[in-house]
């Protein structure tokens, strides 16, 4: 029998990490869906134990020898890219002392457990006391990795979500958006001022909402044998493999549309997982190309499928069937409702025009926090100042719908928020290319025939997983690297009824 090549041994080492990591993910899913709140401390200790074990495997010195030996082996493009990604991750994990890895899990577990009750009672000080240790741990991690990479602390954390991205690049991209967005918001508000829009009135029983959401997610292409839908306070997707894709959603008896919108968004994340190559499921290369590419798929579903008038045409009769007819369920009304612009406090409830402001605010705060320019105690004041400046909203005293609204920081997910705005740009760029290749998507969507669209995304993006860096993947399927001009054109067309040609084409960053 032939001895295993260095590549095969390396891949097997990573498969072990991935299999153990599966239980880590599963337990996080459990914490957010089923675990009784008092179980949090036990879970945090178990996570800490597992994280230490995984860290030991990821930093085993024997990996260096295997990595070096793969250089002389004949590998195909996928394998070569896989080796590079294993090497990149290894270089990052090596910088983290084992004790810090355990502390991370405990700090995050404690803060996570404090987050929900603090949010319910609008208790910022109680939450802040548990967030401070999380920030301290993340700063230390960022310092270790940043020094090795020769970058700032925040830039080091960005590498976890967007390979190669920097604060400078984000500032450049976001500045372009900030340049044209405020005026667009004002125009859209003026255009919509006299519009009559009915909001569906409940109650909408949770069980019926969940059943409808499940039908929609399967209609969008998720496979009932491989996907399921549960309830959690903050919707998310976790996936152990393309055959095990778990979506969650949240429901409010008084409001129907937010749950439907979240469901369509999460179905985009889930479809990306389901459409990724099964044979690469246990390797880094089988994962989404980046957090922005991942949000890009979710936002493609949410905004370029779910928010089109054609989707309301398809949805309207189903709403009547599930909850009884009411005037608000008229397809044209639903279409207007989906595009209604309303500056508000909540990111997840924000319309697509004011959404970028919510991302830019979080980016500014978390960058300053990680780089040590502000402390946890400064967050509410910064929050209020940015919300006033960007959206004209006073948030003083409202922590619940202020800095307590997201689970990213209690999760230790600093550096993730920018991916939402990069994702919105990605989604608009992909949608323009899908329409170029397929013609208008509206006819398919109005019929509930999503297969041509998901087939296109599957071929172009999902099946490629992490084979290419995000910009190269975009270049291949859209003809250019990430370019915010696609987002501007999409929003102008949708909210101003035209694509202003006066703005010169943005220069690619
Ligand atoms: Co998402």
């Amino acid at each position: 029998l032939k001895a295993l090549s260095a590549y095969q041994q390396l891949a097997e080492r990573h498969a072990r990490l991935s299999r153990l990591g599966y239980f880590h993910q599963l337990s996080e899913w459990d914490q957010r869906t089923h675990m009784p709140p008092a179980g949090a401390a036990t879970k945090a200790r178990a996570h800490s134990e597992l994280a230490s074990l995984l860290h030991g495997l990821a930093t085993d010195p024997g990996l260096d020898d295997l990595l070096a030996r793969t250089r002389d082996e004949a590998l195909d493009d996928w394998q070569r890219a896989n080796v590079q990604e294993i090497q990149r991750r290894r270089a990052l994990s090596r910088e983290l002392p084992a004790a810090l890895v355990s502390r991370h899990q405990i700090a995050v577990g404690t803060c996570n457990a404090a987050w929900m009750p603090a949010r319910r009672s609008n208790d910022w000080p109680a939450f802040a006391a548990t967030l401070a240790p999380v920030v301290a741990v993340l700063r230390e991690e960022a310092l270790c990795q940043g020094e090795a990479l020769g970058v700032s602390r925040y830039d080091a954390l960005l590498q976890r979500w967007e390979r190669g991205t920097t604060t400078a690049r984000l500032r450049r991209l976001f500045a372009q958006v900030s340049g044209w967005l405020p005026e667009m918001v004002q125009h859209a508000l003026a255009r919509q001022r006299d519009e009559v829009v009915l909001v569906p009135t409940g109650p909408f029983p949770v069980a019926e909402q969940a059943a409808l959401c499940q039908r929609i997610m399967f209609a969008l292409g998720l496979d009932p044998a491989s996907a399921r839908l549960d309830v959690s306070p903050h919707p998310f997707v976790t996936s152990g493999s393309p055959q095990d894709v778990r979506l969650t959603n949240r429901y409010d008896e008084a409001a129907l549309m937010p749950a439907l919108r979240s469901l369509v968004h999460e179905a985009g994340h889930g479809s990306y997982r389901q459409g990724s190559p099964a044979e690469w499921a246990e390797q880094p290369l089988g994962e989404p190309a980046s957090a922005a590419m991942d949000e890009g798929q979710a936002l493609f579903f949410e905004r370029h499928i779910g928010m089109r008038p054609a989707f309301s045409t398809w949805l309207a009769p189903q709403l009547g069937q599930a909850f009884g007819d009411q005037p608000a369920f008229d397809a044209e009304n639903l279409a207007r409702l989906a595009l209604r612009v309303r500056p508000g406090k909540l990111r997840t409830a924000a319309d697509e025009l004011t959404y970028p402001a919510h991302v830019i605010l979080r980016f500014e705060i978390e960058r300053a926090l990680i780089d040590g320019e502000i402390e946890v105690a400064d967050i509410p004041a910064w929050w209020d100042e940015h919300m006033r400046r960007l959206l004209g909203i006073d948030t003083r005293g409202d922590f619940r719908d202020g800095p307590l609204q997201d689970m990213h920081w209690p999760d230790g997910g600093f550096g993730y928020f920018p991916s939402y705005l990069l994702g919105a740009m990605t989604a608009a760029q992909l949608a323009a290319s899908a329409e170029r290749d397929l013609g208008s998507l509206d006819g398919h969507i109005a019929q509930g025939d999503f297969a041509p669209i998901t087939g296109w995304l599957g071929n172009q993006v999902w099946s490629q997983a992490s084979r290419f860096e995000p910009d190269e993947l975009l270049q291949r399927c859209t003809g250019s690297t990430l370019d915010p001009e696609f987002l501007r054109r999409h929003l102008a067309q949708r909210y101003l009824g035209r694509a202003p040609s006066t703005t010169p084409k943005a220069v690619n960053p």
Side-chain angles (χ1 to χ4, degrees):
L1 225 80
K2 214 173 143 230
L4 288 178
S5 70
Y7 176 79
Q8 285 165 321
Q9 293 178 58
L10 193 63
E12 184 50 32
R13 296 273 194 115
H14 198 278
R16 281 194 70 202
L17 273 177
S18 160
R19 290 169 201 148
L20 289 167
Y22 169 85
F23 291 108
H24 200 275
Q25 275 191 33
L26 200 58
S27 144
E28 283 195 337
W29 171 84
D30 174 73
Q31 178 182 18
R32 293 183 185 133
T33 53
H34 295 84
M35 190 183 80
T42 314
K43 193 230 81 173
R45 284 195 301 274
H47 263 197
S48 172
E49 196 69 39
L50 186 53
S52 300
L53 184 63
L54 286 164
H55 184 65
L57 290 172
T59 54
D60 176 358
L63 282 171
D64 288 328
D65 177 49
L66 289 175
L67 280 163
R69 280 165 51 204
T70 57
R71 279 200 281 274
D72 304 322
E73 292 180 344
L75 303 179
D76 66 25
D77 292 349
W78 281 76
Q79 292 169 328
R80 190 58 70 195
N82 197 39
V83 169
Q84 273 167 15
E85 182 57 16
I86 290 176
Q87 194 148 26
R88 191 185 76 89
R89 291 182 187 198
R90 166 157 176 65
L92 286 174
S93 11
R94 186 170 37 202
E95 300 306 325
L96 300 181
L100 197 53
V101 173
S102 313
R103 262 177 62 206
H104 177 116
Q105 295 300 323
I106 300 293
V108 159
T110 310
C111 190
N112 242 299
W115 170 59
M116 272 312 284
R119 174 152 205 248
R120 222 171 289 131
S121 51
N122 193 37
D123 190 346
W124 170 257
F127 173 76
T130 65
L131 184 63
V134 174
V135 171
V137 167
L138 267 290
R139 280 175 177 170
E140 268 187 68
E141 292 178 13
L143 187 66
C144 297
Q145 296 181 328
E147 276 181 353
L149 296 169
V151 301
S152 74
R153 283 193 266 184
Y154 187 67
D155 279 8
L157 293 188
L158 287 176
Q159 304 317 307
R160 300 178 179 192
W161 313 107
E162 304 295 330
R163 297 176 271 180
T165 278
T166 61
T167 299
R169 175 178 186 248
L170 294 176
R171 287 226 164 104
R172 211 157 51 229
L173 287 166
F174 292 179
Q176 292 187 45
V177 175
S178 305
W180 45 255
L181 197 63
E183 198 189 328
M184 205 184 274
V185 171
Q186 292 315 314
H187 277 140
L189 285 171
R191 268 171 64 102
Q192 294 185 2
R193 193 174 301 131
D194 302 320
E195 217 173 61
V196 179
V197 183
L198 303 172
V199 178
T201 47
F204 304 103
V206 167
E208 259 112 85
Q209 287 194 56
L212 176 64
C213 282
Q214 201 167 54
R215 285 200 298 279
I216 294 174
M217 95 186 210
F218 295 143
L220 284 166
L222 282 148
D223 171 10
S226 312
R228 57 175 288 130
L229 177 64
D230 292 272
V231 177
S232 72
H234 204 300
F236 69 98
V237 169
T238 193
S239 163
S241 80
Q243 289 86 35
D244 182 350
V245 179
R246 300 171 191 221
L247 280 66
T248 70
N249 203 2
R250 62 177 162 209
Y251 306 100
D252 172 358
E253 289 235 320
L256 173 62
M257 303 321 281
L260 295 180
R261 183 174 151 190
S262 295
L263 183 277
V264 175
H265 178 98
E266 300 306 330
H269 285 303
S271 297
Y272 192 8
R273 300 300 196 291
Q274 185 180 277
S276 63
E279 65 276 25
W280 287 93
E282 292 178 333
Q283 299 299 321
L285 222 61
E287 296 174 17
S290 73
M293 193 57 71
D294 198 4
E295 289 306 334
Q297 308 314 301
L299 292 167
F300 189 113
F301 271 51
E302 179 186 332
R303 296 175 178 179
H304 300 277
I305 297 178
M307 287 170 72
R308 283 177 189 249
F311 190 80
S312 295
T313 306
W314 175 72
L315 185 66
Q318 303 182 62
L319 299 189
Q321 228 158 34
F323 303 103
D325 284 320
Q326 58 171 289
F329 287 165
D330 168 67
E332 282 176 25
N333 180 69
L334 290 175
R336 282 195 298 273
L337 184 61
L339 301 186
R340 194 167 57 155
V341 177
R342 277 281 167 89
K345 288 178 181 173
L346 293 172
R347 177 184 62 86
T348 53
D351 58 82
E352 67 179 326
L353 272 188
T354 56
Y355 192 95
H358 292 270
V359 175
I360 291 168
L361 152 99
R362 286 157 178 77
F363 162 63
E364 295 289 352
I365 294 176
E366 67 175 20
R367 197 219 40 87
L369 194 58
I370 293 299
D371 284 343
E373 292 165 20
I374 61 170
E375 296 302 324
V376 168
D378 301 320
I379 294 177
W382 271 54
W383 195 280
D384 186 61
E385 195 259 305
H386 280 77
M387 283 298 279
R388 279 167 198 273
R389 188 168 52 77
L390 296 167
L391 294 175
I393 292 174
D394 181 350
T395 64
R396 279 173 300 175
D398 187 354
F399 308 110
R400 188 193 146 82
D401 291 343
L404 284 176
Q405 66 182 274
D406 298 301
M407 69 177 191
H408 303 61
W409 291 342
D411 257 357
F414 291 89
Y416 190 91
F417 280 120
S419 306
Y420 289 112
L421 187 44
L422 300 178
M425 297 173 189
T426 301
Q429 192 162 335
L430 288 172
S433 293
E435 292 227 276
R436 177 197 66 199
D437 291 353
L438 303 172
S440 171
L441 310 183
D442 291 332
H444 302 296
I445 293 173
Q447 303 290 320
D449 176 20
F450 305 106
I453 303 167
T454 54
W456 187 90
L457 286 169
N459 281 331
Q460 300 284 335
V461 181
W462 306 342
S463 61
Q464 299 305 309
S466 269
R467 166 72 184 86
F468 302 109
E469 303 258 334
D471 259 341
E472 189 180 352
L473 181 58
L474 279 177
Q475 177 81 49
R476 281 168 181 265
C477 51
T478 70
S480 75
T481 56
L482 189 68
D483 182 352
E485 175 64 8
F486 289 96
L487 179 63
R488 188 192 64 80
R489 244 181 271 162
H490 155 69
L491 294 174
Q493 212 146 28
R494 180 171 273 180
Y495 292 94
L496 309 181
R498 66 194 154 85
S501 51
T502 46
T503 310
K505 186 165 181 333
V507 179
N508 272 348

